[in-house]
Amino acid sequence: MACKIIIDTDPGQDDAVALLLALASPDELEVLGITSVAGNVPLELTTRNALMLAELAGRTDVPVYAGCERPTVRPLITAEYVHGVSGIDGANLPDPTTVPADGHAVDFLIETVMGNEVTTLCTLGPLTNIAVALEREPAIASRVDELVLMGGGFFEGGNTTPAAEFNIYVDPEAAAIVFTSGIPLVMMPLDVTHKALTSRANVEAFRALGNAAGHSVAGMLEFMERFDMERYGIDGGPLHDPCVIAYLLEPELFSGRDCYVAIETESELTMGMTVVDWWRLTDNEPNCLVMNQIDNDGFFRLLTERIGLL
Ligand code: BDR
Ligand code: CA
């Protein structure tokens, strides 16, 4: 039976690839809904991008709910310097012909989790929507089967400050609520995603698929990888968010270990840092399966195969 998932996202080129991967995999993943959140770009754009991507995948049957406009405590920080003004520059998609579903993403999250036996949450952006849902209805914590998130970094450090990764840095208070909620967590930090690097060959393989999705993916990856190639001096860009969906489809592509993870919300210097007890230096019980390895060839094989189905 397909795993029932909700994808919470701030597209973002890498979010876009993650959405396409999930929507191309109906045998394994039943996408109950997509919830947008402010992050890479403001909410209006992340919602619009989600609609355009569902349409690109031919999956306008999947509802898109607009979520929180700003982080729980702090002002919003966006990342147009990475993703472009639209958030998905390079995709070259037409305007959406669909509109968001009625209602707020947080209400949808609560109702759906409470109404289903098993729901998996996939988070690709700041954790604002999930934290607000947990505060409003704490009972959802014991009903979520698993929450797989892209966020954080430990040996790899941060990508927004020296200590913090973007998704956690934007709303550290929300991340702290999620990491202390008791929901079984799986974390895809920069330690994994900086190994999920694009190459000339795999960008060209997407383009050679010959379908609209393959063209869009190639265009988006070429746009996004420029930033990281320049900053990190690497020969490709990291594909962060698709790691979350790839894990649900083929968990054996990843490895890591159960750790206790705490979120820094006090110190300005290390705000949003994910403090991972990788070496079990404390007696704190692990609250998260933290990944640090990926089979890069297998990951791109899976992505290319599935995007080719759209
Ligand atoms: C994360 O931040 C965003 O820029 C990406 O979409 C990804 O979710 C990487 O730090
Ligand atoms: Ca994202």
Side-chain angles (χ1 to χ4, degrees):
M1 217 174 52
C3 171
K4 292 181 196 295
I5 67 170
I6 299 174
I7 306 178
D8 189 75
T9 178
D10 63 336
Q13 288 89 351
D14 59 325
D15 302 71
V17 179
L19 285 169
L20 295 174
L21 177 62
L23 294 171
S25 308
D27 289 347
E28 297 99 332
L29 302 176
E30 182 183 349
V31 185
L32 300 175
I34 298 169
T35 53
S36 63
V37 68
N40 287 324
V41 287
L43 183 72
E44 203 182 318
L45 288 172
T46 59
T47 308
R48 176 185 156 84
N49 293 344
L51 291 169
M52 284 154 61
L53 291 157
E55 201 160 337
L56 174 65
R59 296 295 309 276
T60 50
D61 57 304
V62 177
V64 173
Y65 290 87
C68 296
E69 246 173 332
R70 62 182 68 87
T72 49
V73 176
R74 292 155 198 283
L76 176 65
I77 297 161
T78 51
E80 286 86 355
Y81 59 95
V82 181
H83 300 276
V85 279
S86 75
I88 53 169
D89 282 24
N92 289 322
L93 294 177
D95 289 340
T97 64
T98 55
V99 293
D102 289 339
H104 195 282
V106 169
D107 295 322
F108 169 76
L109 278 162
I110 294 171
E111 280 157 27
T112 307
V113 170
M114 294 309 284
N116 277 284
E117 285 283 290
V118 177
T119 319
T120 293
L121 301 181
C122 306
T123 67
L124 315 179
L127 289 157
T128 317
N129 287 337
I130 314 298
V132 174
L134 278 165
E135 294 224 289
R136 203 175 298 164
E137 182 46 275
I140 62 173
S142 58
R143 297 191 60 97
V144 173
D145 189 43
E146 185 171 71
L147 187 155
V148 188
L149 70 121
M150 190 282 133
F154 51 117
F155 296 130
E156 190 73 13
N159 64 355
T160 303
T161 72
E165 179 278 332
F166 181 80
N167 289 341
I168 308 295
Y169 184 72
V170 171
D171 199 342
E173 286 78 11
I177 289 171
V178 170
F179 275 81
T180 53
S181 67
I183 297 177
L185 302 174
V186 180
M187 171 171 153
M188 295 291 169
L190 297 176
D191 301 76
V192 167
T193 68
H194 279 186
K195 293 175 184 136
L197 295 180
T198 57
S199 66
R200 278 311 78 225
N202 49 49
V203 171
E204 285 318 321
F206 286 120
R207 187 166 282 121
L209 290 170
N211 58 359
H215 273 278
S216 274
V217 168
M220 287 191 285
L221 297 188
E222 280 171 343
F223 184 90
M224 190 178 163
E225 69 187 7
R226 277 186 224 143
F227 174 83
D228 290 280
M229 287 166 76
E230 200 175 306
R231 166 148 301 171
Y232 299 102
I234 44 182
D235 201 20
L239 253 187
H240 308 282
D241 294 335
C243 292
V244 168
I245 306 297
Y247 172 74
L248 293 177
L249 293 169
E250 293 189 16
E252 60 284 359
L253 292 174
F254 300 89
S255 60
R257 66 169 77 156
D258 288 314
C259 300
Y260 175 72
V261 181
I263 310 294
E264 176 61 77
T265 57
E266 300 288 333
S267 152
E268 279 309 321
L269 182 64
T270 53
M271 184 62 68
M273 183 174 181
T274 44
V275 182
V276 176
D277 188 3
W278 184 260
W279 302 114
R280 298 272 174 90
L281 299 171
T282 70
D283 294 331
N284 294 319
E285 279 298 307
N287 58 352
C288 185
L289 171 55
V290 178
M291 297 303 184
N292 75 331
Q293 298 298 333
I294 179 173
D295 166 358
N296 182 287
D297 290 345
F299 174 68
F300 278 96
R301 186 247 323 128
L302 173 67
L303 274 174
T304 317
E305 192 180 284
R306 297 299 166 101
I307 304 292
L309 298 174
L310 293 172

